[in-house]
Amino acid sequence: MTTKHTSRQNGGVPVSLATEHTSPPFPASRFLSAEECKALIQRVEQFAEGGGETTVYLNSGWIGNLRWARNHIISSGDLRDNSVLVVRNVNGASGRSSINALDDRHLRLVVRRAERIEEMQHEVAAPFRAGPPFIEGYLKPKIWFDSTYHQDAGERAALMERLVQPAAAAGVLAAGYLQVSAWGRSNMNKDRLWYYPYTQAEYSVTVRMPDGSGSGWAGVDWSDWDRVNAEKLSQIALDKCLRSRNPVRIEPGRYTTILEPQAVGDLAMRLFSPAYLSRLNAEIGDPFTTNDDPEFRKNFQSPFQEGPGISKLGQQVIDPRLSVHSDCMDPDLGYPPFDNNWIVYKPVTWIKNGVLTNLIYGRQYAVEKLGLNTNGIHLWGSGGVTGSFHMTVQSETASIEEMIATTKRGILVTRFWGIPINAIDERSVLYTGYTRDGLWLIENGKISRAIKNFKFTESPLFMLNNIEQIGTPQRIYNPGYPIVVPALKVRDFSFTSLSDAI
Amino acid sequence: MVLPIEEKLDQMSAWVNLAGRYRGGSATMRATFTRDERAVATTDGAYFTQTLYQSGGRYEFGRRPTTTSTTRGAQNRSGEGIAKGLTKTGAGWEIFLDADLPGQLPALYEAANPNDISKLAKKPGTIGRYDVVFDAVTMGSLLLETIGKATQLDRALGFEANASGTSYLGPDPLAFLGHEQVAAPVVTVVANRSMSRGLGTVKWDDEGVEPDDFVLVQDGVLVDYQTTRDQTHVLAPWYAKHGRPVRSHGCAGADTAWAFPMQHMPNLVLVPGKQDIGFSELVAGISHGLAVMDGSVQTDFQERTGTGSGQIREIVNGKLGSEVQGLGFLFNTTQLWKNVRALGGAQSTLQIPSSESKGQPVQSTSFSIQAVPVQVANVDFIDPARKA
């Protein structure tokens, strides 16, 4: 189950590296340190044959986890692994191969394999080769927390016993998952070594009636385990389970709907996806666009497109009380400052007081279309932190209790589930999905009864333009892709059919 | 025999270049190969290694218009055709040889005809209740998303409650086994890990169990669940009643070496009907209805209700008519399965690659589904883009 590097000796000749890295405040025994990465790139360089350039992208990590169901532990893990991607570039042809064993024999093997694939590619004449990557400095967010790294398996088990106890005492069944992890992410070549260590923690729990007549859920993720209030979340899930028992049917239709932050995030994250936030995509139809893929042009529509070739930049797209930004330095977000491709994440405000102010673009767009010598607001094409955002509120906020108290007839939603990646209609970003783990009818300012789940058909743009009241933004559960959003009370939210699922 | 990647690439280049012999023709091709070497040792005494192969690819034939077309709507339109026989299976390079790509080219050239007016004839659909023929691909998705997921014992018992969901055939399996009518009597569903070229086919599962072939639904009645060693004791009273041994069906697996073995989907089989009929014969049995092709299905987290989409065509007097747009189907799982009227015969079986994600941390595994086209009465079609 555990794959661990077996050799750490520095077999390479000394190479002078313009090293920029942040050392973790610990002996990095569970994953590779910056020093070990430095030795690694030197060894890989040594194995390379046939000239050209060599780049190594590394994710090295440790995961400690505990999973339980029906109030009993079902698995407990301590996992370590390295993912090493070697890229060989020779005369414009490139080949890549990855491996997770770091001894000399395997490193030599992965370099040979990358070179073998490189040899199958066409070389590119010098004037037409892509230049070296445009390198900018990266930010230094605080995303390492000892509280996460130092939580061991014994502590997790003891904690689980405590967390499950109230559910067991109430005669109901808890299923939960707790994970802490620590990672070193690195981009390296003979000239440069980037290395950044970070931690992640997540907790989620579902509490169900033994006969399946009720279900409640709660969860969150943070870099810092100390910000995960597992006791409180467990209590919320238990409470929702007990209050959601024996739901009754009410007619589907449009309702004033109070969406808890998780529900807002579940739907809003579809709008703030890299594909929709792309400036190039919003300008599809521009005859001068650099995206020439006809299939893509034919099939893709952006909600941020005004007309052919024109985006909605500068226009009001959501409620003026809301703004949206992504910033790895934001202490309520916090994510690694670069991706595994020399791409740095810059702070960016997408929406300011409801007005669309930015869309992402890469270096080519920045240089050719905007005349800027910059890397752009580069999220596109990266796997790591795309879709991380913080929705802030520029107005009075209301608690969920206040929202309920001011609602004559409406619905309270815990969360959504099963929202497909693809919209039914891209221009209006129309999505479907189901409510899950706690849905209630509100009558005359009070929760009157639990109701059966709905399938909804609604657009996040509609949700963000029909707001009555706004809550205080909160971190939701979306591990690896931090999201902070407020609860919202929305007019005329569209529930289209009933489901008997509990 | 291991064929070097360079030789595979040369052969693929040759197949792609063949498309250039056709007027306006071009092709792109990709192929992926997986070799998964598994070594398993358990404290219960199992020790073994096995090697699992997967291959799949895509050959796309493109055709540009070669003359200035006078057909309305066809200007600047290009067409494409996708080669058959390259979907992912539990086999090696031989699937590419078996597919006979050169032999498929004339048909692909026709399929890619950009001026084929029948492809352009589309009309808006009318919502309502229809008798329907679902093709094998749509039935594969429906089978997986409903009965396939619901008969995973871990889901039924609540072990997936905090992840992929639970089951309408839970929480007490003994309350359902033997008498729950989950489908029409013509429906029988079997699971196995022995299907030829099946993506879920293994000699041993990741607990060291040699899987057996087992019936999940017999003549419309639920008779078993998918199991691992951990949970099979839950079904002991049911097995005892029928004089069957209490044993795991061998559904334990892990998607990588650093994942926990847990319950995963085996290969699934929608057992063909007894009559030797196929999609066209099923269509011929409907005077006014719809056909759904290449469809897919999504359900709620207990597989009780769901929606589906796909290429939808009218059926008029037993024949396929125009393609209709703007429709999807909405269903109650048990109701839909009970409304099955007829199934295609063995000749109409299609083997479809599929995968499922579950667990925490999430794992994804592959398996194959054998399905046949099916005729179903009274399916509700809605406008999926219509709000309340």
Side-chain angles (χ1 to χ4, degrees):
Chain A
M1 197 148 291
T2 298
T3 307
K4 205 164 180 327
H5 54 281
T6 53
S7 166
R8 294 191 191 172
Q9 70 273 28
N10 178 354
V13 290
V15 177
S16 170
L17 287 169
T19 304
E20 185 190 359
H21 65 78
T22 307
S23 291
F26 61 91
S29 55
R30 297 181 215 162
F31 58 96
L32 293 192
S33 67
E35 286 67 32
E36 287 166 311
C37 287
K38 190 171 170 178
L40 178 72
I41 181 67
Q42 288 168 339
R43 286 164 60 212
V44 169
E45 279 281 341
Q46 228 190 4
F47 297 139
E49 289 173 5
E53 296 98 42
T54 307
T55 313
V56 173
Y57 302 107
L58 170 93
N59 283 308
S60 176
W62 158 77
I63 294 174
N65 61 16
L66 189 70
R67 189 180 191 216
W68 60 96
R70 299 175 70 94
N71 301 340
H72 294 287
I73 291 174
I74 52 176
S75 66
S76 169
D78 185 297
L79 316 163
R80 302 165 193 206
D81 202 8
N82 297 303
S83 158
V84 177
L85 174 67
V86 173
V87 182
R88 292 277 295 125
N89 268 290
V90 183
N91 297 332
S94 97
R96 53 181 56 210
S97 185
S98 60
I99 203 161
N100 68 354
L102 305 184
D103 58 279
D104 280 1
R105 188 171 75 83
H106 284 97
L107 275 190
R108 195 174 271 124
L109 181 79
V110 72
V111 172
R112 280 296 86 73
R113 220 190 275 149
E115 286 170 349
R116 188 174 164 194
I117 292 163
E118 177 271 315
E119 280 162 15
M120 286 184 245
Q121 312 295 315
H122 295 288
E123 292 193 354
V124 179
F128 304 106
R129 274 175 219 160
F134 184 84
I135 306 290
E136 294 178 299
Y138 59 82
L139 295 162
K140 305 274 175 66
K142 177 166 172 45
I143 48 175
W144 176 272
F145 291 91
D146 287 348
S147 59
T148 304
Y149 190 64
H150 289 147
Q151 190 200 66
D152 66 26
E155 269 177 73
R156 281 193 290 282
L159 180 62
M160 176 271 175
E161 292 290 331
R162 279 208 312 282
L163 294 175
V164 163
Q165 208 282 322
V172 297
L173 300 174
Y177 183 65
L178 189 167
Q179 176 178 300
V180 286
S181 63
W183 306 87
R185 173 177 293 180
S186 185
N187 296 336
M188 44 194 149
N189 60 23
K190 68 175 169 25
D191 302 318
R192 194 171 280 102
L193 185 145
W194 284 3
Y195 178 88
Y196 214 84
Y198 61 98
T199 54
Q200 291 179 335
E202 63 166 279
Y203 176 60
S204 62
V205 60
T206 301
V207 179
R208 293 179 63 78
M209 296 305 297
D211 64 357
S213 63
S215 183
W217 175 92
V220 78
D221 69 283
W222 285 103
S223 298
D224 180 1
W225 172 258
D226 283 347
R227 292 183 82 171
V228 176
N229 192 337
E231 277 87 357
K232 188 177 163 201
L233 293 169
S234 303
Q235 192 56 52
I236 290 171
L238 171 59
D239 180 56
K240 280 179 182 287
C241 167
L242 297 174
R243 289 194 298 114
S244 71
R245 273 176 294 176
N246 304 316
V248 296
R249 283 166 171 260
I250 68 165
E251 280 301 302
R254 292 192 182 219
Y255 289 90
T256 294
T257 302
I258 298 169
L259 302 161
E260 291 191 7
Q262 185 68 41
V264 170
D266 288 339
L267 190 51
M269 71 171 79
R270 291 288 184 257
L271 182 61
F272 299 106
S273 73
Y276 287 149
L277 286 176
S278 160
R279 191 156 169 171
L280 213 54
N281 291 355
E283 293 175 358
I284 275 175
D286 176 358
F288 303 107
T289 184
T290 37
N291 190 337
D292 267 337
D293 180 349
E295 201 57 29
F296 190 71
R297 278 206 211 177
K298 190 173 72 190
N299 294 329
F300 189 83
Q301 291 190 306
S302 167
F304 296 126
Q305 176 164 61
E306 174 65 18
I310 308 162
S311 74
K312 286 188 174 167
L313 278 171
Q315 289 187 29
Q316 176 133 357
V317 290
I318 64 170
D319 191 292
R321 289 169 287 181
L322 297 174
S323 297
V324 181
H325 70 261
S326 298
D327 182 359
C328 65
M329 299 296 281
D330 180 340
D332 289 334
L333 289 179
Y335 47 83
F338 55 82
D339 191 13
N340 278 129
N341 201 16
W342 303 109
I343 288 172
V344 299
Y345 297 120
K346 298 178 178 180
V348 51
T349 298
W350 309 110
I351 291 173
K352 176 86 176 160
N353 299 324
V355 174
L356 185 66
T357 50
N358 265 305
L359 291 169
I360 55 177
Y361 51 88
R363 174 162 161 75
Q364 189 182 0
Y365 189 99
V367 173
E368 291 177 7
K369 303 273 286 191
L370 303 178
L372 299 170
N373 185 21
T374 151
N375 209 16
I377 305 169
H378 225 315
L379 286 173
W380 179 252
S382 62
V385 293
T386 55
S388 203
F389 64 92
H390 186 161
M391 189 179 285
T392 58
V393 182
Q394 288 78 51
S395 73
E396 298 262 299
T397 59
S399 68
I400 296 212
E401 290 70 29
E402 287 166 337
M403 292 182 193
I404 293 169
T406 53
T407 303
K408 191 160 182 330
R409 184 176 161 84
I411 284 172
L412 173 62
V413 179
T414 298
R415 65 162 174 155
F416 294 128
W417 181 86
I419 306 177
I421 298 292
N422 296 320
I424 296 170
D425 178 63
E426 288 194 313
R427 184 57 64 88
S428 60
V429 254
L430 194 64
Y431 281 95
T432 64
Y434 295 90
T435 62
R436 181 172 172 177
D437 299 319
L439 189 72
W440 291 276
L441 181 66
I442 300 162
E443 290 174 302
N444 301 315
K446 289 197 171 67
I447 289 178
S448 60
R449 55 198 146 151
I451 54 174
K452 290 209 168 179
N453 282 306
F454 281 129
K455 177 170 169 285
F456 70 88
T457 307
E458 194 51 275
S459 161
L461 271 178
F462 181 90
M463 170 179 79
L464 297 172
N465 276 297
N466 287 277
I467 297 171
E468 288 191 354
Q469 285 172 294
I470 306 177
T472 308
Q474 284 177 30
R475 183 77 172 252
I476 63 162
Y477 178 79
N478 196 41
Y481 309 84
I483 290 176
V484 181
V485 285
L488 297 175
K489 185 162 116 185
V490 175
R491 282 182 299 276
D492 294 330
F493 196 90
S494 162
F495 296 103
T496 38
S497 62
L498 270 167
S499 167
D500 285 333
I502 293 175
Chain B
M1 185 189 78
V2 177
L3 194 67
I5 191 86
E6 287 83 354
E7 279 186 45
K8 291 184 180 123
L9 199 59
D10 280 350
Q11 180 62 67
M12 286 168 67
S13 298
W15 285 328
V16 165
N17 289 337
L18 283 177
R21 295 188 187 172
Y22 289 79
R23 204 166 174 211
S26 63
T28 56
M29 184 176 182
R30 66 163 189 267
T32 55
F33 307 95
T34 308
R35 188 179 68 230
D36 179 7
E37 290 175 11
R38 299 203 154 217
V40 173
T42 76
T43 49
D44 286 344
Y47 172 73
F48 62 90
T49 61
Q50 61 183 339
T51 307
L52 308 174
Y53 295 87
Q54 293 184 0
S55 302
R58 189 177 167 90
Y59 183 95
E60 207 172 308
F61 188 99
R63 186 169 158 190
R64 293 181 307 280
T66 47
T67 54
T68 309
S69 170
T70 52
T71 314
R72 240 183 62 179
Q75 289 93 337
N76 300 320
R77 212 186 146 82
S78 26
E80 62 185 32
I82 313 296
K84 291 184 170 64
L86 300 185
T87 53
K88 197 162 90 163
T89 58
W93 172 248
E94 62 270 24
I95 71 161
F96 293 91
L97 303 174
D98 294 352
D100 183 23
L101 291 170
Q104 286 197 48
L105 283 173
L108 288 172
Y109 181 71
E110 278 314 307
N113 185 353
N115 299 327
D116 183 354
I117 193 73
S118 72
K119 273 192 220 159
L120 307 175
K122 290 177 184 173
K123 62 183 203 183
T126 311
I127 62 170
R129 189 164 281 190
Y130 293 90
D131 292 345
V132 176
V133 176
F134 293 114
D135 74 353
V137 170
T138 312
M139 284 313 295
S141 175
L142 183 73
L143 178 64
L144 166 64
E145 298 298 335
T146 58
I147 292 170
K149 287 188 176 174
T151 54
Q152 291 188 323
L153 189 56
D154 65 339
R155 283 183 76 110
L157 295 174
F159 286 91
E160 279 285 294
N162 195 47
S164 60
T166 52
S167 165
Y168 69 95
L169 300 172
D172 178 13
L174 298 175
F176 296 96
L177 281 167
H179 54 81
E180 186 75 6
Q181 190 81 37
V182 297
V186 289
V187 176
T188 292
V189 178
V190 168
N192 68 55
R193 304 197 71 182
S194 59
M195 184 186 293
S196 172
R197 293 189 176 182
L199 293 166
T201 297
V202 294
K203 176 71 175 165
W204 301 283
D205 81 349
D206 288 350
E207 287 179 325
V209 172
E210 190 166 343
D212 59 350
D213 296 5
F214 56 105
V215 180
L216 289 166
V217 174
Q218 180 73 56
D219 304 325
V221 178
L222 180 74
V223 294
D224 212 343
Y225 286 79
Q226 303 161 44
T227 54
T228 63
R229 294 185 68 201
D230 250 3
Q231 297 146 8
T232 193
H233 66 90
V234 173
L235 306 182
W238 164 251
Y239 292 141
K241 208 164 102 187
H242 292 267
R244 289 166 56 187
V246 179
R247 58 154 292 172
S248 162
H249 289 309
C251 299
D255 66 348
T256 66
W258 83 328
F260 294 101
M262 57 177 284
Q263 183 169 134
H264 285 293
M265 192 73 65
N267 301 313
L268 297 174
V269 181
L270 177 59
V271 175
K274 292 185 174 64
Q275 277 182 283
D276 185 20
I277 53 173
F279 183 80
S280 318
E281 287 80 7
L282 292 168
V283 167
I286 292 177
S287 58
H288 173 69
L290 295 172
V292 182
M293 288 168 284
D294 292 326
S296 66
V297 161
Q298 295 86 37
T299 69
D300 62 47
F301 42 87
Q302 282 188 322
E303 307 85 38
R304 286 179 190 276
T305 59
T307 52
S309 57
Q311 190 200 19
I312 301 177
R313 288 181 69 174
E314 281 183 321
I315 299 175
V316 183
N317 297 326
K319 289 206 163 57
L320 284 183
S322 313
E323 183 174 344
V324 295
Q325 290 186 303
L327 288 184
F329 54 100
L330 179 71
F331 61 88
N332 170 296
T333 298
T334 304
Q335 203 55 54
L336 186 144
W337 278 106
K338 282 183 177 172
N339 286 345
V340 169
R341 280 202 303 225
L343 295 95
Q347 296 295 317
S348 62
T349 298
L350 199 63
Q351 188 161 320
I352 303 148
S354 194
S355 66
E356 189 205 13
S357 296
K358 60 189 294 196
Q360 285 178 305
V362 69
Q363 298 185 27
S364 179
T365 56
S366 300
F367 47 91
S368 296
I369 303 173
Q370 285 180 350
V372 290
V374 165
Q375 195 189 83
V376 187
N378 297 327
V379 182
D380 289 322
F381 280 76
I382 56 161
D383 174 1
R386 197 179 142 260
K387 299 216 290 186

